[in-house]
Amino acid sequence: MGGARSSAAGRKEPIERQPVGEGLGGLLRKAARLMARNGFHGASMRDLAKVTGRSLSGLYHYARSKEDLLYLINFHGFTTLVEHGRARGMAFRGPREKLRGFISFHVRYFAAHRDEMRVLMWGTQALSDERARTIRNLKDRYTAILREIVRNVCRSAAKGPVSEKSIDRKTFLLFGMMNWIYGWYSAARHGAPEELAEEIYRTFLYGLSGRRRERRKFPAQEVAPLWN
Amino acid sequence: MGGARSSAAGRKEPIERQPVGEGLGGLLRKAARLMARNGFHGASMRDLAKVTGRSLSGLYHYARSKEDLLYLINFHGFTTLVEHGRARGMAFRGPREKLRGFISFHVRYFAAHRDEMRVLMWGTQALSDERARTIRNLKDRYTAILREIVRNVCRSAAKGPVSEKSIDRKTFLLFGMMNWIYGWYSAARHGAPEELAEEIYRTFLYGLSGRRRERRKFPAQEVAPLWN
């Protein structure tokens, strides 16, 4: 404890300011894996220390409690999503390309980080009010990015005006298609994440009755690691 | 305890054979409400007895443990869905009408029973292996009903063949749109359940770029109560 870096026990800085290097990154990944398997209440700090290969006091250096760990998994998960969501919005020019880029990143990211995804799905019930607000704020920012993309695709694709209420609903329906995969998707049975992302993109844009094929192939992109 | 009806403590019959009358129905509804708010681990048998207006031994008449209650909520929830899903498949003739009927029932049912929905979303982690199998079996049957409807709509709507893998994925994407509503939907902000169901139906069938309007109005149906 103590040392060059301020420890969790004696820290004055908020814990989310800790650099997400090899140490914290690996720790959060392993903590998410155990929590995803045993549930939040089924994973003790002692178990978490064990699976992360640390002593209890070594774990306390990063997090004083399970709630700290849950918060860090949420904070860094949604921060990464917001940053990449925004980057996808800027990297492509047309509304449909932006939509495709966003779906591609979100789906491949979630497919690659399923334990973290399951933990993010739990919501903020176990967090303090202030931390819950911070996470909700990040989620709202992420939703707003996709909502803007969906609005622009609607403007260019739909004949006739689309109400703001309908754009809201469609944005959440798209999140539903993408997020629900944590409960059913397996690459072996349902195809590679890129194939799944393309299916979501085409279903959302054209529906079951759509005939058109995109001329360009779905963009191949690297999935950013979750924690650094 | 004891009396005319066999009690949970002394029972030999499986607990899911208990008639879902006023007593068990109301009890499960209240138990689901508390579990949805406090989480499975955050609701004790003592709390559950209190919110259901029973003594602990009165609660034991129906369920020996929280796991019993969780199982009963899952069992009766999915049994109702399977029965109604099948009925919707038979009540309508054309593939699109069947699809519309299924979406309409599922969405309005979930919108009307949000606490139960949240509990069903938790999955079967906290159940015994045998009970988890029973629930998975019910879920598989429910999924198969929608899958068959989606396959028939694809056959009639899509130009060219649609692979079984794609039908699988589309079925789960539709479940994603419908089930994810538990995290965001509010009738005040996003419109009545019927309006939401219509948005899902149209998005799934035509996508963002769809222009066609259904001639017939979305069928108005009564939402069946969850427990009887």
Side-chain angles (χ1 to χ4, degrees), chain A:
Chain A
M1 307 269 292
R5 191 139 59 130
S6 71
S7 75
R11 106 167 53 89
K12 291 197 181 95
E13 283 286 286
I15 56 171
E16 59 268 35
R17 299 268 171 83
Q18 290 180 75
V20 187
E22 193 62 27
L24 183 58
L27 185 142
L28 294 180
R29 194 158 46 241
K30 287 169 187 159
R33 192 182 306 152
L34 185 71
M35 285 186 188
R37 275 173 208 177
N38 296 9
F40 181 66
H41 295 276
S44 69
M45 278 299 271
R46 200 166 291 276
D47 299 334
L48 287 161
K50 204 171 161 192
V51 297
T52 57
R54 282 174 173 80
S55 64
L56 254 182
S57 65
L59 181 58
Y60 283 143
H61 181 76
Y62 294 98
R64 264 170 297 188
S65 64
K66 285 198 293 180
E67 195 235 332
D68 275 4
L69 285 170
L70 183 65
Y71 175 65
L72 286 171
I73 292 167
N74 270 276
F75 183 83
H76 291 295
F78 284 112
T79 301
T80 308
L81 286 169
V82 167
E83 281 167 6
H84 283 269
R86 196 177 287 143
R88 286 300 170 288
M90 293 192 292
F92 298 98
R93 297 202 73 174
R96 292 184 188 203
E97 284 71 24
K98 285 181 199 288
L99 179 67
R100 224 176 178 186
F102 190 101
I103 293 173
S104 163
F105 176 74
H106 186 96
V107 168
R108 289 175 311 117
Y109 186 80
F110 271 36
H113 305 290
R114 297 187 71 152
D115 294 326
E116 290 84 349
M117 186 176 173
R118 184 171 281 270
V119 172
L120 298 188
M121 297 294 135
W122 292 341
T124 53
Q125 214 167 27
L127 299 178
S128 71
D129 286 353
E130 196 193 329
R131 287 177 164 185
R133 255 196 309 277
T134 303
I135 301 304
R136 270 202 306 275
N137 186 265
L138 283 168
K139 285 187 192 179
D140 287 348
R141 282 163 63 193
Y142 191 54
T143 304
I145 293 168
L146 182 57
R147 194 184 184 287
E148 188 57 27
I149 294 174
V150 169
R151 182 200 271 125
N152 287 328
V153 176
C154 279
R155 272 191 192 151
S156 75
K159 306 292 161 188
V162 181
S163 72
E164 291 299 310
K165 205 196 252 181
S166 177
I167 289 166
D168 262 348
R169 289 192 299 238
K170 285 180 198 295
T171 304
F172 285 117
L173 295 186
L174 178 53
F175 271 123
M177 286 201 271
M178 297 192 293
N179 293 346
W180 193 245
I181 64 173
Y182 88 94
W184 62 271
Y185 171 69
S186 109
R189 290 186 56 193
H190 305 109
E194 292 73 18
E195 212 180 317
L196 174 61
E198 181 69 12
E199 182 96 52
I200 293 175
Y201 170 71
R202 289 186 51 76
T203 301
F204 188 62
L205 199 54
Y206 305 121
L208 289 195
S209 50
R211 314 171 201 189
R212 278 180 286 182
R213 286 232 157 256
E214 292 291 308
R215 254 164 283 154
R216 268 184 282 173
K217 233 183 116 14
F218 209 51
Q221 299 159 321
E222 287 304 305
V223 182
L226 188 50
W227 306 119
N228 38 49

Side-chain angles (χ1 to χ4, degrees), chain B residues 24 74 142 162 186 192-193:
Chain B
L24 183 58
N74 270 274
Y142 191 55
V162 181
S186 107

